[in-house]
């Protein structure tokens, strides 16, 4: 493999091996390990999501390359430690995708989205049980594996709450309809109000319960709470920057405006969006 070869996955793997070469590689790449590159992986994943949300497909092409490189990096580390390599990573995902889609790759008859999702969750449950038994040969005689096992602890909190709720819903532990979800949110709002001027620790707990209940509403509405909050953040930021522009045009400093003036700017910005 040389620098002049055409771009390919093999060339990318070769570049990675050169970067990690103990004698001639890059000092930064050489000193990295599995744990040290996790923050970079998370950052790249969010940059992919941001490019998609912005509709910037030229940027998305670049960001997907950066994310792919993270997989190559982990695979190189695994190969050096004789744990796994890129080929075994590819083999594992191919096997998993074929097994989880029997309606595509075999004669299984899964005709609805609900049946497909149920099969997917059942396969994942089998994988969790198998993993538990591999890690602990006495697992069968112990308490059954929790359906919440292996949910990543480092997931963003909204995404983690959503995943927890989906797992519970799969076994029937869920509200029957969206009206029940609304009732729970209203209950949690009242509990927040009750603690608003009381114990800060109790208030924090009730606020957490309220957010968890709102995630439930997002899930029942078939919406991703993480994506919804990102969009809300973006919308607020866009509007606030427009308010800042009006403040600048007024000739007065931000701190010289009272709340009524700022609210008027805000309403002007919203009105401009509707035109």
């Amino acid at each position: 493999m040389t620098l002049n070869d055409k771009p390919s996955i093999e060339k990318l793997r070769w570049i990675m091996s050169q970067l990690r070469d103990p004698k001639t590689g890059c000092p930064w790449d050489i000193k990295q390990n599995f744990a040290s590159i996790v923050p970079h992986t998370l950052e790249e994943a969010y940059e992919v999501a941001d490019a998609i949300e912005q509709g910037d497909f030229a940027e998305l092409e670049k960001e997907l390359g950066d994310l792919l490189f993270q997989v190559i990096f982990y695979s190189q580390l695994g190969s050096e430690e004789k744990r796994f390599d890129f080929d075994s990573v590819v083999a594992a995902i191919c096997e998993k995708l074929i097994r989880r889609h029997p309606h595509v790759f075999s004669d299984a008859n899964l005709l609805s989205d609900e049946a497909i999702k149920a099969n997917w969750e059942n396969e994942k449950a089998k994988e969790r049980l198998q993993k538990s038994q591999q890690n602990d040969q006495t697992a069968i005689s112990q308490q059954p594996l929790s359906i919440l096992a292996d949910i990543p602890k480092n997931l963003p909190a909204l995404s983690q709450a959503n995943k927890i709720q989906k797992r519970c819903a799969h076994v029937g532990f869920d509200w029957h309809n969206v009206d029940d979800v609304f009732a729970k949110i209203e209950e949690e709002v009242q509990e927040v109000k009750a603690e608003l001027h009381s114990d800060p620790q109790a208030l924090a707990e009730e606020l957490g319960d309220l957010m968890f209940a709102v995630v439930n509403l997002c899930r029942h509405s078939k919406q991703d709470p993480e994506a919804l909050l990102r969009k809300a953040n973006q919308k607020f930021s866009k509007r606030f920057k427009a308010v800042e522009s009006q403040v600048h045009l007024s000739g007065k400093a931000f701190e010289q405006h009272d709340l009524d003036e700022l609210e008027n700017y805000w309403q002007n910005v919203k009105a401009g969006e509707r035109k």
Side-chain angles (χ1 to χ4, degrees):
M1 188 66 65
T2 69
L3 287 173
N4 295 325
D5 288 334
K6 292 181 179 180
S8 68
I9 195 69
E10 292 304 322
K11 183 174 182 178
L12 184 57
R13 294 172 65 181
W14 174 78
I15 291 172
M16 183 72 256
S17 68
Q18 298 304 299
L19 292 174
R20 287 281 297 179
D21 187 284
K23 295 182 180 179
T24 60
C26 169
W28 185 89
D29 290 279
I30 292 172
K31 70 180 182 181
Q32 300 310 308
N33 55 44
F34 286 107
S36 68
I37 61 174
V38 166
H40 303 284
T41 307
L42 296 174
E43 180 180 341
E44 298 300 350
Y46 279 113
E47 289 178 354
V48 165
D50 185 63
I52 293 172
E53 290 173 355
Q54 300 301 322
D56 189 343
F57 294 100
E59 187 65 21
L60 176 59
E61 178 183 38
K62 300 173 185 177
E63 298 300 345
L64 285 171
D66 292 341
L67 188 58
L68 173 61
F69 182 68
Q70 299 297 303
V71 177
I72 296 295
F73 208 139
Y74 288 118
S75 298
Q76 177 67 29
L77 295 175
S79 178
E80 292 171 4
E81 297 181 13
K82 295 181 170 41
R83 299 177 183 274
F84 57 84
D85 58 20
F86 183 75
D87 290 335
S88 65
V89 170
V90 172
I93 188 59
C94 287
E95 185 277 330
K96 180 188 293 185
L97 289 173
I98 291 172
R99 175 166 41 79
R100 288 186 178 181
H101 294 83
H103 53 297
V104 176
F105 299 106
S106 71
D107 57 359
N109 190 19
L110 302 177
L111 300 180
S112 67
D113 287 346
E114 290 74 16
I116 292 171
K117 289 179 181 178
N119 176 76
W120 182 273
E121 291 299 331
N122 289 335
E123 287 295 330
K124 289 170 67 175
K126 291 176 185 177
E127 291 167 11
R128 291 194 294 271
L129 180 58
Q130 183 179 29
K131 179 180 177 181
S132 175
Q133 292 174 349
Q134 289 174 344
N135 292 338
D136 185 354
Q137 294 300 318
T138 64
I140 297 177
S141 62
Q142 297 178 351
Q143 182 176 343
L145 184 68
S146 171
I147 63 168
L148 302 181
D150 81 352
I151 293 179
K153 294 181 176 60
N154 291 327
L155 271 179
L158 289 176
S159 296
Q160 188 181 61
N162 195 40
K163 185 173 280 290
I164 289 171
Q165 293 172 7
K166 284 182 177 179
R167 291 274 183 92
C168 293
H170 181 63
V171 295
F173 192 74
D174 193 16
W175 300 110
H176 293 301
N177 55 60
V178 73
D179 291 334
D180 292 338
V181 179
F182 262 112
K184 183 61 177 177
I185 290 175
E186 291 169 352
E187 175 189 325
E188 296 297 350
V189 168
Q190 294 305 315
E191 291 180 0
V192 167
K193 286 183 178 180
E195 300 292 351
L196 199 55
H197 303 293
S198 183
D199 178 19
Q201 185 174 350
L203 174 61
E205 182 175 342
E206 296 301 342
L207 285 169
D209 291 344
L210 175 58
M211 287 189 285
F212 192 84
V214 172
V215 170
N216 241 329
L217 177 59
C218 296
R219 181 175 59 83
H220 274 260
S221 303
K222 302 187 185 308
Q223 300 285 344
D224 176 12
E226 192 76 30
L228 293 179
L229 187 56
R230 283 202 303 270
K231 289 179 181 178
N233 290 342
Q234 293 166 4
K235 181 172 68 175
F236 180 90
S237 297
K238 180 181 177 181
R239 288 176 175 176
F240 186 78
K241 289 175 183 177
V243 168
E244 287 179 313
S245 296
Q246 293 195 37
V247 168
H248 177 72
L249 291 173
S250 75
K252 296 193 301 182
F254 213 107
E255 295 77 9
Q256 293 176 312
H257 289 75
D258 61 32
L259 185 57
D260 288 339
E261 291 176 302
L262 295 175
E263 176 63 19
N264 185 54
Y265 291 156
W266 182 268
Q267 294 301 327
N268 288 340
V269 170
K270 291 178 64 176
E273 292 174 349
R274 293 192 289 268
K275 292 179 180 179

